[in-house]
Amino acid sequence: MYDLITIGRCGVDVYPLQTGVGLADVETFGKFLGGSPTNVAVAAARHGLRSAVITAVGADPFGAYVRRAIRDFGVDDAYVSVIEGPATPVTFCEIFPPDHFPIWFYRGEHPPDLRLTPGHLDLDAIRATGLFWFSLTGLSKEPSRAAHTAALSARTSGWTVFDLDHRPALWESRAAARAAAREALPHANVAVGNLDEVETAVGVREPEAAAQALLDAGVEVAIVKMGPAGVLARTATETVVAEPVEVKVVNGIGAGDAFGGAVCLGLLRGWPLERTIRFAGAAGAFVAARLACADAMPTTDEVHELLNEVPT
């Protein structure tokens, strides 16, 4: 039924409509769909892929907004549960271009998306989808961790992508995050993360060594985002580097999700590894040049235009 299914965090991103101003002094804000796995599904849908997200919201107005926004972006919300009690999470950020975007998570002690249980899962759909995307955050608390374990156990073919998305504020310690990452890596065949995230997962920061450590941990494709130095990807037989696409950065927070949706496209289309990460880097740059995250996700043609390429 689906090209890809993602699982994990969702919520409302509240971004200042002024840049270079601290939250204490911001006067106007915009409301946007948030949560990395949710936005990866949106990014993939913008490329024409059939996507769904497994997540949960609170029984509140923000939860209704999130569900509506997911549908409006062309993502199936059939697996978005409504859980009574906890509020739908809200995330605030400050915007200091080009590279300083502090984030504050208001998720409470046990937000809805971390209350997913194995009973919320359609294991047949998870088994059948061409690509399954999960993130480290979903392993931070039970019963979400058990739900992720059940989902990964159902995967016997296709692409299973582990987003090493590490949010320190959502973990008791970095050591706990590393232990969870180590346990999950053998169940994925692709791992994606920036330098901080790969260091959390495998204890190595140098890009080539970190990529090799991810391969040694069980994945087939390791993708390391190196910031201004571009992206490195490695398999057992190939190492490629994609140079960054130069843009004037407005808000870098959503770039990783745009990158993820583009990686999904490349994997599902069978593109060469170098083409996949070069395209994904351009998709991330496209969003970094804009304020919003989900709202700014590019189409395939828009990424080709940024790369000055003719679509093929």
Side-chain angles (χ1 to χ4, degrees):
M1 181 181 297
Y2 303 106
D3 294 311
L4 76 150
I5 297 174
T6 70
I7 184 172
R9 208 165 70 244
C10 76
V12 177
D13 285 348
V14 181
Y15 291 168
L17 298 183
Q18 300 134 288
T19 62
V21 179
L23 281 179
D25 298 311
V26 173
E27 296 181 354
T28 56
F29 296 85
K31 180 183 68 183
F32 305 96
L33 179 65
S36 183
T38 302
N39 283 335
V40 168
V42 170
R46 291 286 283 167
H47 294 298
L49 297 174
R50 296 164 296 173
S51 62
V53 58
I54 304 169
T55 189
V57 297
D60 54 32
F62 276 158
Y65 163 76
V66 167
R67 293 199 66 176
R68 185 179 71 235
I70 287 171
R71 292 192 300 270
D72 288 348
F73 283 122
V75 176
D76 196 335
D77 72 332
Y79 305 127
V80 181
S81 299
V82 178
I83 295 180
E84 296 284 346
T88 303
V90 176
T91 301
F92 288 85
C93 76
E94 292 178 332
I95 301 176
F96 292 97
D99 58 3
H100 187 53
F101 307 101
I103 297 175
W104 284 266
F105 293 100
Y106 291 81
R107 290 174 55 82
E109 288 297 318
H110 204 166
D113 54 51
L114 288 178
R115 298 192 185 212
L116 290 171
T117 70
H120 287 105
L121 305 181
D122 181 342
L123 294 178
D124 289 336
I126 291 170
R127 188 176 296 110
T129 188
L131 187 150
F132 182 70
W133 181 287
F134 71 104
S135 75
L136 183 60
T137 300
L139 306 176
S140 63
K141 191 180 288 287
E142 294 289 4
S144 174
R145 189 166 183 168
H148 280 64
T149 299
L152 293 174
S153 296
R155 296 289 292 161
T156 57
S157 63
W159 294 107
T160 300
V161 183
F162 186 6
D163 181 0
L164 302 175
D165 172 51
H166 177 233
R167 306 292 181 170
L170 308 183
W171 287 87
E172 60 187 50
S173 68
R174 194 176 194 186
R178 179 170 298 161
R182 288 283 194 176
E183 187 176 333
L185 278 167
H187 299 280
N189 46 29
V190 182
V192 181
N194 63 31
L195 294 176
D196 288 336
E197 291 164 346
V198 298
E199 185 177 15
T200 294
V202 295
V204 181
R205 187 177 184 86
E206 194 281 321
E208 292 198 19
Q212 186 59 52
L214 289 169
L215 296 180
D216 293 342
V219 304
E220 299 171 18
V221 182
I223 301 175
V224 180
K225 295 179 284 187
M226 304 182 293
V231 182
L232 178 143
R234 174 173 281 186
T235 69
T237 60
E238 182 181 18
T239 299
V240 297
V241 175
E243 298 296 325
V245 175
E246 297 295 333
V247 296
K248 183 178 180 180
V249 174
V250 174
N251 183 1
I253 292 176
D257 301 335
F259 183 96
V263 165
C264 294
L265 179 67
L267 292 172
L268 289 168
R269 294 289 184 262
W271 289 355
L273 185 59
E274 190 277 336
R275 180 185 179 188
T276 296
I277 63 169
R278 181 165 51 85
F279 183 90
F286 185 96
V287 172
R290 289 154 177 82
L291 175 66
C293 183
D295 301 64
M297 295 299 174
T299 65
T300 306
D301 286 347
E302 286 173 327
V303 179
H304 283 305
E305 183 178 350
L306 183 59
L307 288 168
N308 295 313
E309 290 181 343
V310 177
T312 58

